[in-house]
Amino acid sequence: MHRKLLILGSVSGFLAVILGAFASHGLEKVLSVSELSTFEVGIRYQFYHTLLAILCGSISALSEKSKNTIFYLILIGVILFSGSIYGLATNILSVFDFKTIAWLTPVGGIFLISSWLVLFFNVLKMKKK
């Protein structure tokens, strides 16, 4: 499972850099400052959870079950949270009204928060040295 978390972190980081460059060099001309700022929030949280995936993939003390749980929480959370933010920020560029799925943002946030909680409770269970 450590490999899956490291792959998730690598792919997510790769995509976050591309989306950041796209926002800076492409979207800045078509989005308002507020919309661009919203898009950047999605990138920022994607990066935070990219680093969390890499960290969890590198911690040998985490059980495979915990790593598996964290993997899916981050994957689903980033897709729902950051993905919906990307859609909402660029809503004016699409025929689909992303406001109809805005409820996915807090649901994704719950998944992301849960990934941190799983890590936290696993750290509490670790033996003190």
Side-chain angles (χ1 to χ4, degrees), residues 19-58:
L19 288 167
F22 177 61
S24 294
H25 302 292
L27 293 178
E28 69 175 8
K29 297 172 180 83
V30 294
L31 297 182
S32 70
V33 172
S34 176
E35 291 164 336
L36 194 55
S37 177
T38 298
F39 195 90
E40 289 170 351
V41 168
I43 295 168
R44 190 174 328 124
Y45 278 83
Q46 183 172 339
F47 255 123
Y48 294 156
H49 292 88
T50 292
L51 296 174
L52 179 61
I54 292 169
L55 172 71
C56 291
S58 302

Side-chain angles (χ1 to χ4, degrees), residues 118-129:
V118 170
L119 175 61
F120 172 72
F121 287 119
N122 274 272
V123 170
L124 287 180
K125 289 192 286 186
M126 288 179 185
K127 294 181 181 177
K128 294 181 183 177
K129 289 188 178 186

Side-chain angles (χ1 to χ4, degrees), residues 8 36-37 50 55-56 59-62 69 73-74 76 81 83 102:
L8 173 63
L36 194 55
S37 177
T50 292
L55 172 71
C56 291
I59 298 175
S60 60
L62 285 176
T69 301
L73 290 170
I74 293 172
I76 294 167
F81 183 83

Side-chain angles (χ1 to χ4, degrees), residues 104-117:
L104 291 176
T105 306
V107 172
I110 291 169
F111 277 85
L112 295 176
I113 291 166
S114 298
S115 67
W116 288 97
L117 287 174

